[in-house]
Each structure stands twice: as C-alpha cells, then as structure tokens.
C-alpha cells in the first residue's frame, strides 16, 4: 500500500514559524556540514519556499511569499561568520543578504508562483462547483423560484440587468 505524503494546513503565522524554524535548522546544518556555504544555503531555501507555499491553508495564501524572505534572513544568522562582535555579525549578515539576493528573489518567486497556481486552481474548482449547481434542477441559476427574466436572485445582491 502506498504511503501518502503529509498534507498539513498551516495558518499564516504557522507558515512563517515553519519556514523560519526550518531555515534556522538548515542554517545550522549548513554551517556544520558545509562550513557556512551560502550557495548550499540558497539551494536549501528553495524547497522550504515550495513546502511553505503548499502547506499554507487557502485563506492565508498571500502570506507565503511574505514569510519567505523573513525566513531567509532568519536562517542566515548561523551561516554568516561572526568576527568582530555584534557589528561584525551585522555587517556579514547585510553582505550575505546583498550577495545572495538571487536566491532570496528566486525562492520568493517560487513561493509566489506556487501560490498563484493554487489560487487559480481554487477559483476554477469554485467556478466548476457553481456551474455544476446551475445545471441541477432547482440549483442556483435554475428556473425554480426565479422571478421575471428567468434568473435566480441571490439574497443581498441586486439582479443583473
């Protein structure tokens, strides 16, 4: 029997916490395993963006491209070298953000594309459900109970003319 992949539904806050925690853990692993390679960190950032965009619940879809750059910055903290105290670490962080902007923009773009595809699929599914309801007798748009003109009127909405 095939095992199904997890399909969690995270809130916007949960998605941000997931992405931030995942990137922080991956940043520590990158520092230990690869010596703080920014390229390896950037490559690891892309799947986190995809998973975050896939696992955010439909009502919070727009948060996925927002939390991606925040998670990138959070995970960079253990990756950048920290010579010279707080000022040195801050300068290394800003330099890493500037030099790794391609990965940052790429991950954010990937999250945005996944969100857009999910939103379009959701709209099409909703439109298909509404069209299916119109075809049933007595469904929305049917002639049952419709006033003049044959169009059913929804409560709270003016009739289309």
């Amino acid at each position: 029997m095939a095992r199904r992949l997890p399909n969690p539904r995270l809130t916007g806050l949960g998605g941000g916490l997931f992405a931030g925690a995942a990137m922080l853990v991956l940043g520590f692993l990158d520092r230990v395993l690869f010596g703080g390679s920014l390229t390896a960190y950037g490559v690891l950032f892309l799947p986190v963006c995809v998973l975050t965009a896939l696992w955010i619940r439909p009502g919070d879809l727009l948060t996925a491209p927002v939390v991606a750059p925040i998670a990138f910055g959070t995970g960079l903290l253990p990756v950048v070298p920290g010579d010279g105290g707080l000022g040195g670490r801050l300068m290394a962080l800003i330099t890493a953000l500037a030099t790794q902007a391609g990965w940052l923009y790429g991950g954010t773009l990937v999250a945005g594309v996944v969100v857009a595809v999910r939103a379009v699929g959701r709209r099409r599914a909703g439109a298909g459900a509404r069209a299916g309801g119109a075809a049933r007798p007595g469904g929305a748009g049917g002639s049952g109970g419709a006033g003049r003109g044959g169009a059913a009127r929804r409560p709270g909405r003016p009739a289309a003319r």
Side-chain angles (χ1 to χ4, degrees):
M1 179 187 256
R3 184 179 158 155
R4 296 188 66 202
L5 293 174
N7 192 18
R9 290 291 167 223
L10 302 172
T11 63
L13 178 61
L17 289 173
F18 163 75
M23 289 312 299
L24 195 61
V25 167
L26 290 174
F28 279 116
L29 286 175
D30 179 33
R31 179 138 188 162
V32 170
L33 298 176
F34 305 116
S37 169
L38 292 173
T39 303
Y41 178 77
V43 170
L44 293 170
F45 175 61
L46 298 177
V48 171
C49 290
V50 171
L51 288 176
T52 303
L54 286 174
W55 288 348
I56 294 241
R57 67 182 182 178
D60 294 330
L61 278 178
L62 292 178
T63 60
V66 174
V67 301
I70 297 169
F72 188 86
T74 302
L76 268 180
L77 292 172
V79 175
V80 296
D83 300 337
L86 181 62
R89 185 169 282 303
L90 189 59
M91 286 301 289
L93 179 65
I94 291 170
T95 302
L97 284 170
T99 59
Q100 301 304 309
W103 292 111
L104 177 60
Y105 293 150
T108 305
L109 179 67
V110 165
V113 167
V114 170
V115 164
V117 168
R118 284 186 63 197
V120 167
R122 190 171 171 224
R123 282 198 181 159
R124 284 190 179 166
R130 284 191 298 271
R136 284 182 276 146
S143 59
R148 63 186 171 103
R153 204 172 149 213
R154 290 188 227 165
R157 291 191 136 171
R161 295 186 192 253

